[in-house]
Amino acid sequence: MSLKAFSEYLLLEKKYSKHTAHAYVTDIETFQEFLNDFYDSQAILKVGYSEIRQWIVELVNIGITNRTINRKVSSLNCYYKFLLKTQCINVNPLKKHKALKVGKKVQLPFSEQELKSVLENSANIVDFESARNYFVIELFYATGIRRIELVNIKLSDIDFGNNQLKVRGKRNKERYIPLIRSLMHTIKTYIEYRNQLPVIDDKDVLFLTQKGFKIYEKLVYRIINKYFSEASSKAKCSPHVLRHSFATHLLNQGADLNAVKELLGHTSLAATQVYTHNSIAELKKVYAKSHPRNLR
């Protein structure tokens, strides 16, 4: 079974993004290259768990992290499930595999003061680029959306009557996010500058480059990194840290965990709970200051 068929399965049936499908295929090609050194070209259809374990050991020996190894094995497992589904194999050799242990990765959000500083310093809107960049920052912090979700927003996704935004999440699942009043003003300002662009290649897309083309993920990352690197000492200043900040700050202010889950577009509460470690720290402060037994 060709990897092209597997890639089409990921894109069309699983509704994965092109980036994700490409990553899966690359991981499988890495395993195939390992097999080519010891077996024939069809070995990937014949090997058992012992051969896969040899590959895992080699990845460990060359210094690949457990987290990355787990991702590669997960890609391979997905491929074997596809081969089972298409009746190319009878048994998934990874059926009983257990993921390698990884340490919990705690990602610190931007502080409320850092957010305030960036929003105040970037509020001087004088042209299309400054209007767009400010809008990108404020939209991330006001909605907690993912970078790819921001890139794919269309003008028609904004409901000005109900002050809400339609977002297409993973696997094209749609959700609606309420928009705060200040953000509605920012949107209108940006659209005024957007309409003044001499050329617009894709009139349906909300976020554009200065040349009128659809904005791309690397540019969105550079915008966030530029503004927040000047206001924060954190090693990582990315759109995902802003998403993390959105969730953490809501929880710190007493927002319901299930409500935050819906806003983020998570399918399970467990995915949202990773953002609660900072809110728990905030609760500890409140508890220490407020509990009668602690005030003696």
Side-chain angles (χ1 to χ4, degrees), residues 20 24 26 30 40 42 53 68 78 86 92 96 99 109 133 137 162 165-166 189 197 245-246 258:
T20 300
Y24 273 53
T26 300
T30 301
D40 59 62
Q42 294 297 310
R53 185 166 178 79
T68 300
C78 184
T86 52
N92 181 353
K96 295 184 179 181
N133 293 356
I137 295 166
N162 294 309
L165 173 70
K166 181 169 71 175
T189 301
L197 289 173
S245 306
F246 163 82
N258 277 299

Side-chain angles (χ1 to χ4, degrees), residues 91-110:
V91 178
N92 181 353
L94 279 164
K95 185 177 180 180
K96 295 184 179 181
H97 172 74
K98 292 184 179 180
L100 303 179
K101 290 184 178 180
V102 295
K104 287 187 177 180
K105 193 175 181 181
V106 176
Q107 186 158 294
L108 295 176
F110 297 119

